Amino acid sequence: MKHSTNYRGRLTGLIAAALATAAVSVTLLSQGASATPGHTDPHFPAATPKVSRAVADTPYAKLPKVPSFSLKSTDVATGKQLGTAQTSGNTSPQLSWKGFPKGTKSFVVSMYDQDAGTGSGFWHWAAYNLPASTTTLKSGAGAPGGAGLPAGTVQAPNDASVAGYVGAAPPAGQTHRYFITVYALDTATVQLPPTASPALVGASIGSHILARGTLVPLAKG
């Protein structure tokens, strides 16, 4: 499915507004710099507290440790800036993976912004019940409607209330990390209602994760 310019603009605006309203300055430890909040809402103070990434370095810090497998992309790379397609273009990246456990029965794919100033991060994408035979997704596979995904795959409504991928849009002056993860599960089907949030998907698969592969690209507002 191709997005119209207006549809893309609305999604990007919705993401930017949601993040900017609750924006929190993030201390970039690697650069020794602090970000500037992008919001001007009079209900929030002009300056917001700085949050050190040492507090919670990754979304997996408090989860059980599992093996990793290879995850690659022709569109994105760890530590590199996301391109226009994956930001304002609302196009999910190409992904391919290998080296997952032999007992894998299905996959979950997600993209999560841990640095979003919402108190709970921001889910950009979550797709589950991908068959175990799936080892690659084309660019744009996460479009609403799921035409580019394997049969049986379900896309959870993201934090922009869209059942599909929505692009990165951090507030002005902030650099955020985007955790793109493929989970290998020991179950073929995750039984959830179609309205289940990505957070509920995560809670439901916790005890079924055999391994995961992760890429962490960046985006600057």
Side-chain angles (χ1 to χ4, degrees):
M1 178 185 296
K2 296 183 177 179
H3 299 293
S4 68
T5 301
N6 288 339
Y7 178 61
R8 291 176 178 175
R10 288 197 300 272
L11 284 177
T12 302
L14 179 60
I15 282 274
L19 298 183
T21 300
V24 175
S25 295
V26 177
T27 301
L28 305 181
L29 298 181
S30 61
Q31 300 176 5
S34 62
T36 301
H39 69 73
T40 56
D41 193 309
H43 295 93
F44 289 84
T48 50
K50 297 177 182 178
V51 177
S52 171
R53 285 183 176 167
V55 174
D57 189 53
T58 78
Y60 320 116
K62 296 183 179 180
L63 299 180
K65 293 183 179 180
V66 296
S68 61
F69 56 86
S70 174
L71 175 61
K72 296 183 178 181
S73 174
T74 58
D75 295 327
V76 303
T78 295
K80 303 295 184 181
Q81 292 288 321
L82 290 170
T84 302
Q86 280 71 54
T87 54
S88 60
N90 296 309
T91 301
S92 62
Q94 183 276 343
L95 298 172
S96 60
W97 55 92
K98 62 181 180 180
F100 46 87
K102 291 184 178 180
T104 298
K105 295 182 179 180
S106 71
F107 294 103
V108 172
V109 180
S110 66
M111 187 170 105
Y112 175 70
D113 174 4
Q114 178 167 299
D115 300 321
T118 64
S120 58
F122 196 99
W123 289 97
H124 289 261
W125 189 29
Y128 58 99
N129 291 347
L130 281 78
S133 58
T134 309
T135 57
T136 186
L137 292 177
K138 295 181 178 180
S139 298
L149 294 168
T153 301
V154 180
Q155 294 192 100
N158 57 38
D159 284 346
S161 300
V162 176
Y165 175 94
V166 69
Q174 295 191 15
T175 297
H176 288 193
R177 299 166 297 167
Y178 295 84
F179 290 82
I180 299 172
T181 305
V182 176
Y183 299 91
L185 306 185
D186 65 2
T187 182
T189 306
V190 180
Q191 298 285 355
L192 289 171
T195 55
S197 67
L200 183 55
V201 174
S204 300
I205 68 173
S207 63
H208 296 285
I209 299 172
L210 297 174
R212 62 176 169 255
T214 304
L215 296 171
V216 192
L218 310 173
K220 183 176 181 180

